[in-house]
PDB file of all heavy atoms in Angstrom:
ATOM      1  N   GLU J1098      17.616 -57.612-109.738  1.00  0.00           N
ATOM      2  CA  GLU J1098      17.897 -59.014-110.022  1.00  0.00           C
ATOM      3  C   GLU J1098      16.676 -59.552-110.761  1.00  0.00           C
ATOM      4  O   GLU J1098      15.545 -59.237-110.395  1.00  0.00           O
ATOM      5  CB  GLU J1098      18.043 -59.718-108.683  1.00  0.00           C
ATOM      6  CG  GLU J1098      18.826 -60.988-108.685  1.00  0.00           C
ATOM      7  CD  GLU J1098      18.912 -61.562-107.267  1.00  0.00           C
ATOM      8  OE1 GLU J1098      19.134 -60.802-106.308  1.00  0.00           O
ATOM      9  OE2 GLU J1098      18.704 -62.780-107.159  1.00  0.00           O
ATOM     10  N   ILE J1099      16.910 -60.357-111.791  1.00  0.00           N
ATOM     11  CA  ILE J1099      15.801 -60.900-112.582  1.00  0.00           C
ATOM     12  C   ILE J1099      15.851 -62.424-112.536  1.00  0.00           C
ATOM     13  O   ILE J1099      16.896 -63.022-112.764  1.00  0.00           O
ATOM     14  CB  ILE J1099      15.891 -60.421-114.049  1.00  0.00           C
ATOM     15  CG1 ILE J1099      15.779 -58.898-114.100  1.00  0.00           C
ATOM     16  CG2 ILE J1099      14.814 -61.082-114.903  1.00  0.00           C
ATOM     17  CD1 ILE J1099      16.039 -58.299-115.465  1.00  0.00           C
ATOM     18  N   ASP J1100      14.709 -63.038-112.242  1.00  0.00           N
ATOM     19  CA  ASP J1100      14.578 -64.498-112.281  1.00  0.00           C
ATOM     20  C   ASP J1100      13.561 -64.810-113.375  1.00  0.00           C
ATOM     21  O   ASP J1100      12.353 -64.786-113.145  1.00  0.00           O
ATOM     22  CB  ASP J1100      14.086 -65.021-110.922  1.00  0.00           C
ATOM     23  CG  ASP J1100      14.057 -66.546-110.861  1.00  0.00           C
ATOM     24  OD1 ASP J1100      13.898 -67.188-111.930  1.00  0.00           O
ATOM     25  OD2 ASP J1100      14.183 -67.092-109.760  1.00  0.00           O
ATOM     26  N   LEU J1101      14.069 -65.056-114.583  1.00  0.00           N
ATOM     27  CA  LEU J1101      13.201 -65.278-115.742  1.00  0.00           C
ATOM     28  C   LEU J1101      12.271 -66.485-115.584  1.00  0.00           C
ATOM     29  O   LEU J1101      11.070 -66.362-115.809  1.00  0.00           O
ATOM     30  CB  LEU J1101      14.050 -65.377-117.018  1.00  0.00           C
ATOM     31  CG  LEU J1101      13.304 -65.555-118.342  1.00  0.00           C
ATOM     32  CD1 LEU J1101      12.281 -64.454-118.563  1.00  0.00           C
ATOM     33  CD2 LEU J1101      14.294 -65.594-119.484  1.00  0.00           C
ATOM     34  N   PRO J1102      12.779 -67.668-115.146  1.00  0.00           N
ATOM     35  CA  PRO J1102      11.875 -68.825-115.008  1.00  0.00           C
ATOM     36  C   PRO J1102      10.704 -68.566-114.047  1.00  0.00           C
ATOM     37  O   PRO J1102       9.590 -69.020-114.283  1.00  0.00           O
ATOM     38  CB  PRO J1102      12.772 -69.938-114.483  1.00  0.00           C
ATOM     39  CG  PRO J1102      14.155 -69.551-114.896  1.00  0.00           C
ATOM     40  CD  PRO J1102      14.169 -68.036-114.862  1.00  0.00           C
ATOM     41  N   LYS J1103      10.955 -67.819-112.978  1.00  0.00           N
ATOM     42  CA  LYS J1103       9.889 -67.540-112.001  1.00  0.00           C
ATOM     43  C   LYS J1103       9.147 -66.244-112.316  1.00  0.00           C
ATOM     44  O   LYS J1103       8.190 -65.893-111.626  1.00  0.00           O
ATOM     45  CB  LYS J1103      10.479 -67.462-110.586  1.00  0.00           C
ATOM     46  CG  LYS J1103      10.977 -68.797-110.091  1.00  0.00           C
ATOM     47  CD  LYS J1103      11.476 -68.677-108.670  1.00  0.00           C
ATOM     48  CE  LYS J1103      11.993 -70.030-108.179  1.00  0.00           C
ATOM     49  NZ  LYS J1103      12.622 -69.935-106.876  1.00  0.00           N
ATOM     50  N   LYS J1104       9.627 -65.525-113.356  1.00  0.00           N
ATOM     51  CA  LYS J1104       9.032 -64.249-113.778  1.00  0.00           C
ATOM     52  C   LYS J1104       9.030 -63.209-112.670  1.00  0.00           C
ATOM     53  O   LYS J1104       8.079 -62.459-112.498  1.00  0.00           O
ATOM     54  CB  LYS J1104       7.607 -64.469-114.319  1.00  0.00           C
ATOM     55  CG  LYS J1104       7.589 -65.417-115.490  1.00  0.00           C
ATOM     56  CD  LYS J1104       6.205 -65.639-116.028  1.00  0.00           C
ATOM     57  CE  LYS J1104       6.311 -66.641-117.172  1.00  0.00           C
ATOM     58  NZ  LYS J1104       5.121 -66.841-117.893  1.00  0.00           N
ATOM     59  N   LEU J1105      10.132 -63.177-111.903  1.00  0.00           N
ATOM     60  CA  LEU J1105      10.237 -62.243-110.788  1.00  0.00           C
ATOM     61  C   LEU J1105      11.375 -61.250-111.009  1.00  0.00           C
ATOM     62  O   LEU J1105      12.394 -61.584-111.606  1.00  0.00           O
ATOM     63  CB  LEU J1105      10.479 -62.987-109.476  1.00  0.00           C
ATOM     64  CG  LEU J1105       9.363 -63.907-108.996  1.00  0.00           C
ATOM     65  CD1 LEU J1105       9.807 -64.667-107.754  1.00  0.00           C
ATOM     66  CD2 LEU J1105       8.094 -63.114-108.706  1.00  0.00           C
ATOM     67  N   VAL J1106      11.157 -60.032-110.515  1.00  0.00           N
ATOM     68  CA  VAL J1106      12.185 -58.996-110.546  1.00  0.00           C
ATOM     69  C   VAL J1106      12.265 -58.406-109.154  1.00  0.00           C
ATOM     70  O   VAL J1106      11.252 -58.032-108.567  1.00  0.00           O
ATOM     71  CB  VAL J1106      11.819 -57.881-111.566  1.00  0.00           C
ATOM     72  CG1 VAL J1106      12.872 -56.783-111.550  1.00  0.00           C
ATOM     73  CG2 VAL J1106      11.662 -58.450-112.964  1.00  0.00           C
ATOM     74  N   TRP J1107      13.488 -58.360-108.597  1.00  0.00           N
ATOM     75  CA  TRP J1107      13.707 -57.733-107.297  1.00  0.00           C
ATOM     76  C   TRP J1107      14.466 -56.447-107.546  1.00  0.00           C
ATOM     77  O   TRP J1107      15.488 -56.448-108.233  1.00  0.00           O
ATOM     78  CB  TRP J1107      14.522 -58.637-106.367  1.00  0.00           C
ATOM     79  CG  TRP J1107      13.798 -59.878-106.003  1.00  0.00           C
ATOM     80  CD1 TRP J1107      12.845 -60.028-105.028  1.00  0.00           C
ATOM     81  CD2 TRP J1107      13.949 -61.164-106.596  1.00  0.00           C
ATOM     82  NE1 TRP J1107      12.407 -61.329-104.999  1.00  0.00           N
ATOM     83  CE2 TRP J1107      13.058 -62.049-105.950  1.00  0.00           C
ATOM     84  CE3 TRP J1107      14.738 -61.662-107.631  1.00  0.00           C
ATOM     85  CZ2 TRP J1107      12.950 -63.395-106.290  1.00  0.00           C
ATOM     86  CZ3 TRP J1107      14.631 -62.988-107.973  1.00  0.00           C
ATOM     87  CH2 TRP J1107      13.744 -63.845-107.302  1.00  0.00           C
ATOM     88  N   ILE J1108      13.961 -55.355-106.970  1.00  0.00           N
ATOM     89  CA  ILE J1108      14.598 -54.059-107.155  1.00  0.00           C
ATOM     90  C   ILE J1108      14.926 -53.463-105.796  1.00  0.00           C
ATOM     91  O   ILE J1108      14.054 -53.365-104.940  1.00  0.00           O
ATOM     92  CB  ILE J1108      13.668 -53.091-107.919  1.00  0.00           C
ATOM     93  CG1 ILE J1108      13.233 -53.696-109.257  1.00  0.00           C
ATOM     94  CG2 ILE J1108      14.376 -51.748-108.138  1.00  0.00           C
ATOM     95  CD1 ILE J1108      12.165 -52.890-109.967  1.00  0.00           C
ATOM     96  N   GLU J1109      16.198 -53.090-105.616  1.00  0.00           N
ATOM     97  CA  GLU J1109      16.617 -52.388-104.400  1.00  0.00           C
ATOM     98  C   GLU J1109      16.717 -50.911-104.753  1.00  0.00           C
ATOM     99  O   GLU J1109      17.507 -50.529-105.619  1.00  0.00           O
ATOM    100  CB  GLU J1109      17.985 -52.880-103.937  1.00  0.00           C
ATOM    101  CG  GLU J1109      17.928 -54.159-103.146  1.00  0.00           C
ATOM    102  CD  GLU J1109      19.283 -54.521-102.578  1.00  0.00           C
ATOM    103  OE1 GLU J1109      19.767 -53.809-101.677  1.00  0.00           O
ATOM    104  OE2 GLU J1109      19.852 -55.515-103.051  1.00  0.00           O
ATOM    105  N   SER J1110      15.867 -50.110-104.104  1.00  0.00           N
ATOM    106  CA  SER J1110      15.833 -48.689-104.421  1.00  0.00           C
ATOM    107  C   SER J1110      15.127 -47.901-103.325  1.00  0.00           C
ATOM    108  O   SER J1110      14.286 -48.442-102.610  1.00  0.00           O
ATOM    109  CB  SER J1110      15.094 -48.486-105.744  1.00  0.00           C
ATOM    110  OG  SER J1110      14.944 -47.125-106.035  1.00  0.00           O
ATOM    111  N   ASP J1111      15.461 -46.620-103.229  1.00  0.00           N
ATOM    112  CA  ASP J1111      14.762 -45.726-102.313  1.00  0.00           C
ATOM    113  C   ASP J1111      13.621 -45.011-103.029  1.00  0.00           C
ATOM    114  O   ASP J1111      12.913 -44.210-102.442  1.00  0.00           O
ATOM    115  CB  ASP J1111      15.738 -44.688-101.731  1.00  0.00           C
ATOM    116  CG  ASP J1111      16.709 -45.329-100.749  1.00  0.00           C
ATOM    117  OD1 ASP J1111      16.311 -46.286-100.062  1.00  0.00           O
ATOM    118  OD2 ASP J1111      17.870 -44.880-100.675  1.00  0.00           O
ATOM    119  N   ARG J1112      13.459 -45.300-104.301  1.00  0.00           N
ATOM    120  CA  ARG J1112      12.389 -44.660-105.079  1.00  0.00           C
ATOM    121  C   ARG J1112      11.024 -45.211-104.668  1.00  0.00           C
ATOM    122  O   ARG J1112      10.915 -46.318-104.172  1.00  0.00           O
ATOM    123  CB  ARG J1112      12.600 -44.881-106.573  1.00  0.00           C
ATOM    124  CG  ARG J1112      13.825 -44.160-107.080  1.00  0.00           C
ATOM    125  CD  ARG J1112      13.960 -44.387-108.565  1.00  0.00           C
ATOM    126  NE  ARG J1112      15.204 -43.854-109.067  1.00  0.00           N
ATOM    127  CZ  ARG J1112      15.291 -42.691-109.697  1.00  0.00           C
ATOM    128  NH1 ARG J1112      14.239 -41.950-109.897  1.00  0.00           N
ATOM    129  NH2 ARG J1112      16.455 -42.276-110.133  1.00  0.00           N
ATOM    130  N   ASP J1113       9.993 -44.435-104.957  1.00  0.00           N
ATOM    131  CA  ASP J1113       8.621 -44.814-104.647  1.00  0.00           C
ATOM    132  C   ASP J1113       8.212 -46.033-105.479  1.00  0.00           C
ATOM    133  O   ASP J1113       8.620 -46.172-106.636  1.00  0.00           O
ATOM    134  CB  ASP J1113       7.710 -43.619-104.954  1.00  0.00           C
ATOM    135  CG  ASP J1113       6.315 -43.828-104.419  1.00  0.00           C
ATOM    136  OD1 ASP J1113       6.167 -43.883-103.182  1.00  0.00           O
ATOM    137  OD2 ASP J1113       5.385 -43.932-105.239  1.00  0.00           O
ATOM    138  N   VAL J1114       7.400 -46.904-104.902  1.00  0.00           N
ATOM    139  CA  VAL J1114       6.941 -48.115-105.590  1.00  0.00           C
ATOM    140  C   VAL J1114       6.222 -47.760-106.891  1.00  0.00           C
ATOM    141  O   VAL J1114       6.389 -48.444-107.902  1.00  0.00           O
ATOM    142  CB  VAL J1114       6.000 -48.944-104.671  1.00  0.00           C
ATOM    143  CG1 VAL J1114       5.367 -50.088-105.432  1.00  0.00           C
ATOM    144  CG2 VAL J1114       6.777 -49.481-103.489  1.00  0.00           C
ATOM    145  N   ASP J1115       5.436 -46.686-106.876  1.00  0.00           N
ATOM    146  CA  ASP J1115       4.710 -46.287-108.092  1.00  0.00           C
ATOM    147  C   ASP J1115       5.665 -45.945-109.230  1.00  0.00           C
ATOM    148  O   ASP J1115       5.394 -46.263-110.393  1.00  0.00           O
ATOM    149  CB  ASP J1115       3.797 -45.087-107.801  1.00  0.00           C
ATOM    150  CG  ASP J1115       2.660 -45.456-106.856  1.00  0.00           C
ATOM    151  OD1 ASP J1115       2.237 -46.631-106.860  1.00  0.00           O
ATOM    152  OD2 ASP J1115       2.200 -44.567-106.113  1.00  0.00           O
ATOM    153  N   VAL J1116       6.790 -45.307-108.902  1.00  0.00           N
ATOM    154  CA  VAL J1116       7.787 -44.962-109.911  1.00  0.00           C
ATOM    155  C   VAL J1116       8.383 -46.239-110.497  1.00  0.00           C
ATOM    156  O   VAL J1116       8.518 -46.382-111.712  1.00  0.00           O
ATOM    157  CB  VAL J1116       8.909 -44.077-109.307  1.00  0.00           C
ATOM    158  CG1 VAL J1116      10.061 -43.875-110.284  1.00  0.00           C
ATOM    159  CG2 VAL J1116       8.343 -42.741-108.855  1.00  0.00           C
ATOM    160  N   LEU J1117       8.707 -47.198-109.622  1.00  0.00           N
ATOM    161  CA  LEU J1117       9.278 -48.474-110.083  1.00  0.00           C
ATOM    162  C   LEU J1117       8.271 -49.234-110.950  1.00  0.00           C
ATOM    163  O   LEU J1117       8.623 -49.779-111.996  1.00  0.00           O
ATOM    164  CB  LEU J1117       9.692 -49.330-108.882  1.00  0.00           C
ATOM    165  CG  LEU J1117      10.763 -48.729-107.955  1.00  0.00           C
ATOM    166  CD1 LEU J1117      10.990 -49.629-106.760  1.00  0.00           C
ATOM    167  CD2 LEU J1117      12.057 -48.480-108.704  1.00  0.00           C
ATOM    168  N   MET J1118       7.018 -49.227-110.524  1.00  0.00           N
ATOM    169  CA  MET J1118       5.947 -49.917-111.256  1.00  0.00           C
ATOM    170  C   MET J1118       5.771 -49.313-112.651  1.00  0.00           C
ATOM    171  O   MET J1118       5.716 -50.048-113.642  1.00  0.00           O
ATOM    172  CB  MET J1118       4.650 -49.779-110.442  1.00  0.00           C
ATOM    173  CG  MET J1118       3.533 -50.594-110.955  1.00  0.00           C
ATOM    174  SD  MET J1118       3.632 -52.198-110.154  1.00  0.00           S
ATOM    175  CE  MET J1118       1.966 -52.700-110.342  1.00  0.00           C
ATOM    176  N   GLU J1119       5.696 -47.989-112.730  1.00  0.00           N
ATOM    177  CA  GLU J1119       5.530 -47.317-114.028  1.00  0.00           C
ATOM    178  C   GLU J1119       6.727 -47.570-114.934  1.00  0.00           C
ATOM    179  O   GLU J1119       6.575 -47.744-116.137  1.00  0.00           O
ATOM    180  CB  GLU J1119       5.315 -45.809-113.837  1.00  0.00           C
ATOM    181  CG  GLU J1119       3.951 -45.456-113.292  1.00  0.00           C
ATOM    182  CD  GLU J1119       2.796 -46.057-114.087  1.00  0.00           C
ATOM    183  OE1 GLU J1119       2.759 -45.891-115.321  1.00  0.00           O
ATOM    184  OE2 GLU J1119       1.931 -46.716-113.470  1.00  0.00           O
ATOM    185  N   THR J1120       7.927 -47.604-114.344  1.00  0.00           N
ATOM    186  CA  THR J1120       9.139 -47.882-115.122  1.00  0.00           C
ATOM    187  C   THR J1120       9.084 -49.287-115.703  1.00  0.00           C
ATOM    188  O   THR J1120       9.364 -49.486-116.888  1.00  0.00           O
ATOM    189  CB  THR J1120      10.394 -47.710-114.243  1.00  0.00           C
ATOM    190  OG1 THR J1120      10.415 -46.381-113.732  1.00  0.00           O
ATOM    191  CG2 THR J1120      11.660 -47.970-115.035  1.00  0.00           C
ATOM    192  N   LEU J1121       8.694 -50.268-114.895  1.00  0.00           N
ATOM    193  CA  LEU J1121       8.599 -51.648-115.375  1.00  0.00           C
ATOM    194  C   LEU J1121       7.542 -51.781-116.466  1.00  0.00           C
ATOM    195  O   LEU J1121       7.721 -52.531-117.426  1.00  0.00           O
ATOM    196  CB  LEU J1121       8.265 -52.602-114.215  1.00  0.00           C
ATOM    197  CG  LEU J1121       9.413 -52.936-113.276  1.00  0.00           C
ATOM    198  CD1 LEU J1121       8.901 -53.710-112.074  1.00  0.00           C
ATOM    199  CD2 LEU J1121      10.496 -53.730-113.987  1.00  0.00           C
ATOM    200  N   LYS J1122       6.449 -51.051-116.359  1.00  0.00           N
ATOM    201  CA  LYS J1122       5.374 -51.128-117.361  1.00  0.00           C
ATOM    202  C   LYS J1122       5.831 -50.618-118.728  1.00  0.00           C
ATOM    203  O   LYS J1122       5.243 -50.972-119.743  1.00  0.00           O
ATOM    204  CB  LYS J1122       4.155 -50.343-116.890  1.00  0.00           C
ATOM    205  CG  LYS J1122       3.389 -51.054-115.793  1.00  0.00           C
ATOM    206  CD  LYS J1122       2.163 -50.268-115.378  1.00  0.00           C
ATOM    207  CE  LYS J1122       1.395 -51.021-114.294  1.00  0.00           C
ATOM    208  NZ  LYS J1122       0.250 -50.226-113.810  1.00  0.00           N
ATOM    209  N   LYS J1123       6.894 -49.823-118.752  1.00  0.00           N
ATOM    210  CA  LYS J1123       7.413 -49.297-120.022  1.00  0.00           C
ATOM    211  C   LYS J1123       7.932 -50.401-120.932  1.00  0.00           C
ATOM    212  O   LYS J1123       8.073 -50.203-122.128  1.00  0.00           O
ATOM    213  CB  LYS J1123       8.529 -48.277-119.768  1.00  0.00           C
ATOM    214  CG  LYS J1123       8.023 -46.966-119.230  1.00  0.00           C
ATOM    215  CD  LYS J1123       9.166 -46.004-118.984  1.00  0.00           C
ATOM    216  CE  LYS J1123       8.660 -44.725-118.337  1.00  0.00           C
ATOM    217  NZ  LYS J1123       9.768 -43.845-117.947  1.00  0.00           N
ATOM    218  N   CYS J1124       8.236 -51.574-120.365  1.00  0.00           N
ATOM    219  CA  CYS J1124       8.732 -52.670-121.202  1.00  0.00           C
ATOM    220  C   CYS J1124       7.560 -53.407-121.870  1.00  0.00           C
ATOM    221  O   CYS J1124       7.771 -54.352-122.622  1.00  0.00           O
ATOM    222  CB  CYS J1124       9.634 -53.618-120.411  1.00  0.00           C
ATOM    223  SG  CYS J1124       8.801 -54.577-119.156  1.00  0.00           S
ATOM    224  N   GLY J1125       6.330 -52.964-121.617  1.00  0.00           N
ATOM    225  CA  GLY J1125       5.168 -53.516-122.314  1.00  0.00           C
ATOM    226  C   GLY J1125       4.611 -54.810-121.741  1.00  0.00           C
ATOM    227  O   GLY J1125       3.793 -55.467-122.367  1.00  0.00           O
ATOM    228  N   LYS J1126       5.049 -55.176-120.567  1.00  0.00           N
ATOM    229  CA  LYS J1126       4.589 -56.426-119.946  1.00  0.00           C
ATOM    230  C   LYS J1126       3.668 -56.139-118.779  1.00  0.00           C
ATOM    231  O   LYS J1126       3.710 -55.068-118.178  1.00  0.00           O
ATOM    232  CB  LYS J1126       5.789 -57.247-119.438  1.00  0.00           C
ATOM    233  CG  LYS J1126       6.778 -57.613-120.517  1.00  0.00           C
ATOM    234  CD  LYS J1126       6.160 -58.545-121.516  1.00  0.00           C
ATOM    235  CE  LYS J1126       7.080 -58.793-122.692  1.00  0.00           C
ATOM    236  NZ  LYS J1126       6.378 -59.456-123.781  1.00  0.00           N
ATOM    237  N   GLU J1127       2.851 -57.127-118.425  1.00  0.00           N
ATOM    238  CA  GLU J1127       1.984 -57.005-117.256  1.00  0.00           C
ATOM    239  C   GLU J1127       2.857 -57.068-116.004  1.00  0.00           C
ATOM    240  O   GLU J1127       3.743 -57.910-115.898  1.00  0.00           O
ATOM    241  CB  GLU J1127       0.977 -58.155-117.267  1.00  0.00           C
ATOM    242  CG  GLU J1127      -0.127 -58.011-116.237  1.00  0.00           C
ATOM    243  CD  GLU J1127      -1.110 -59.164-116.310  1.00  0.00           C
ATOM    244  OE1 GLU J1127      -1.513 -59.547-117.426  1.00  0.00           O
ATOM    245  OE2 GLU J1127      -1.460 -59.678-115.243  1.00  0.00           O
ATOM    246  N   VAL J1128       2.590 -56.165-115.056  1.00  0.00           N
ATOM    247  CA  VAL J1128       3.416 -56.068-113.849  1.00  0.00           C
ATOM    248  C   VAL J1128       2.531 -56.125-112.611  1.00  0.00           C
ATOM    249  O   VAL J1128       1.480 -55.506-112.560  1.00  0.00           O
ATOM    250  CB  VAL J1128       4.208 -54.733-113.832  1.00  0.00           C
ATOM    251  CG1 VAL J1128       5.048 -54.630-112.571  1.00  0.00           C
ATOM    252  CG2 VAL J1128       5.075 -54.606-115.058  1.00  0.00           C
ATOM    253  N   LYS J1129       2.979 -56.907-111.625  1.00  0.00           N
ATOM    254  CA  LYS J1129       2.252 -57.011-110.344  1.00  0.00           C
ATOM    255  C   LYS J1129       3.256 -56.805-109.205  1.00  0.00           C
ATOM    256  O   LYS J1129       4.348 -57.368-109.240  1.00  0.00           O
ATOM    257  CB  LYS J1129       1.619 -58.395-110.259  1.00  0.00           C
ATOM    258  CG  LYS J1129       0.842 -58.642-108.970  1.00  0.00           C
ATOM    259  CD  LYS J1129       0.284 -60.062-108.987  1.00  0.00           C
ATOM    260  CE  LYS J1129       0.077 -60.551-107.574  1.00  0.00           C
ATOM    261  NZ  LYS J1129       0.067 -61.993-107.479  1.00  0.00           N
ATOM    262  N   TYR J1130       2.882 -55.996-108.227  1.00  0.00           N
ATOM    263  CA  TYR J1130       3.760 -55.743-107.086  1.00  0.00           C
ATOM    264  C   TYR J1130       3.467 -56.770-105.994  1.00  0.00           C
ATOM    265  O   TYR J1130       2.326 -56.938-105.574  1.00  0.00           O
ATOM    266  CB  TYR J1130       3.529 -54.310-106.552  1.00  0.00           C
ATOM    267  CG  TYR J1130       4.397 -53.952-105.376  1.00  0.00           C
ATOM    268  CD1 TYR J1130       5.779 -53.992-105.469  1.00  0.00           C
ATOM    269  CD2 TYR J1130       3.828 -53.553-104.176  1.00  0.00           C
ATOM    270  CE1 TYR J1130       6.577 -53.647-104.394  1.00  0.00           C
ATOM    271  CE2 TYR J1130       4.624 -53.201-103.082  1.00  0.00           C
ATOM    272  CZ  TYR J1130       5.995 -53.262-103.204  1.00  0.00           C
ATOM    273  OH  TYR J1130       6.790 -52.919-102.135  1.00  0.00           O
ATOM    274  N   ASN J1131       4.503 -57.487-105.537  1.00  0.00           N
ATOM    275  CA  ASN J1131       4.339 -58.526-104.526  1.00  0.00           C
ATOM    276  C   ASN J1131       4.705 -58.062-103.119  1.00  0.00           C
ATOM    277  O   ASN J1131       4.532 -58.803-102.167  1.00  0.00           O
ATOM    278  CB  ASN J1131       5.173 -59.767-104.868  1.00  0.00           C
ATOM    279  CG  ASN J1131       4.638 -60.491-106.091  1.00  0.00           C
ATOM    280  OD1 ASN J1131       3.497 -60.299-106.491  1.00  0.00           O
ATOM    281  ND2 ASN J1131       5.458 -61.310-106.705  1.00  0.00           N
ATOM    282  N   GLY J1132       5.264 -56.867-102.984  1.00  0.00           N
ATOM    283  CA  GLY J1132       5.634 -56.357-101.663  1.00  0.00           C
ATOM    284  C   GLY J1132       7.131 -56.296-101.467  1.00  0.00           C
ATOM    285  O   GLY J1132       7.910 -56.543-102.377  1.00  0.00           O
ATOM    286  N   THR J1133       7.529 -55.976-100.235  1.00  0.00           N
ATOM    287  CA  THR J1133       8.959 -55.864 -99.927  1.00  0.00           C
ATOM    288  C   THR J1133       9.478 -57.217 -99.437  1.00  0.00           C
ATOM    289  O   THR J1133       8.720 -58.029 -98.918  1.00  0.00           O
ATOM    290  CB  THR J1133       9.210 -54.804 -98.846  1.00  0.00           C
ATOM    291  OG1 THR J1133       8.423 -55.120 -97.699  1.00  0.00           O
ATOM    292  CG2 THR J1133       8.851 -53.415 -99.335  1.00  0.00           C
ATOM    293  N   LYS J1134      10.756 -57.423 -99.635  1.00  0.00           N
ATOM    294  CA  LYS J1134      11.384 -58.692 -99.245  1.00  0.00           C
ATOM    295  C   LYS J1134      12.491 -58.438 -98.268  1.00  0.00           C
ATOM    296  O   LYS J1134      13.161 -57.460 -98.292  1.00  0.00           O
ATOM    297  CB  LYS J1134      11.948 -59.419-100.478  1.00  0.00           C
ATOM    298  CG  LYS J1134      10.874 -59.844-101.437  1.00  0.00           C
ATOM    299  CD  LYS J1134      10.021 -60.912-100.826  1.00  0.00           C
ATOM    300  CE  LYS J1134       8.653 -60.971-101.474  1.00  0.00           C
ATOM    301  NZ  LYS J1134       7.660 -61.659-100.774  1.00  0.00           N
TER     302      LYS J1134
END
């Protein structure tokens, strides 16, 4: 789920956080992990 105004992305996955982080970085934007929700 993407919330553009708040610049947040929520991802539901069993994959490792590092894999998700590296995948998001491929779009060329700065990425910060906020934790689980």
Side-chain angles (χ1 to χ4, degrees):
E1098 203 179 317
I1099 298 172
D1100 185 333
L1101 182 56
K1103 292 183 181 173
K1104 301 180 182 187
L1105 295 175
V1106 178
W1107 294 278
I1108 304 172
E1109 278 186 69
S1110 175
D1111 289 327
R1112 293 181 187 260
D1113 191 66
V1114 172
D1115 293 331
V1116 172
L1117 299 175
M1118 189 89 157
E1119 287 307 308
T1120 302
L1121 284 172
K1122 286 182 179 176
K1123 287 179 185 173
C1124 68
K1126 301 294 173 192
E1127 190 179 316
V1128 179
K1129 179 181 155 203
Y1130 180 59
N1131 291 342
T1133 55
K1134 295 293 157 197

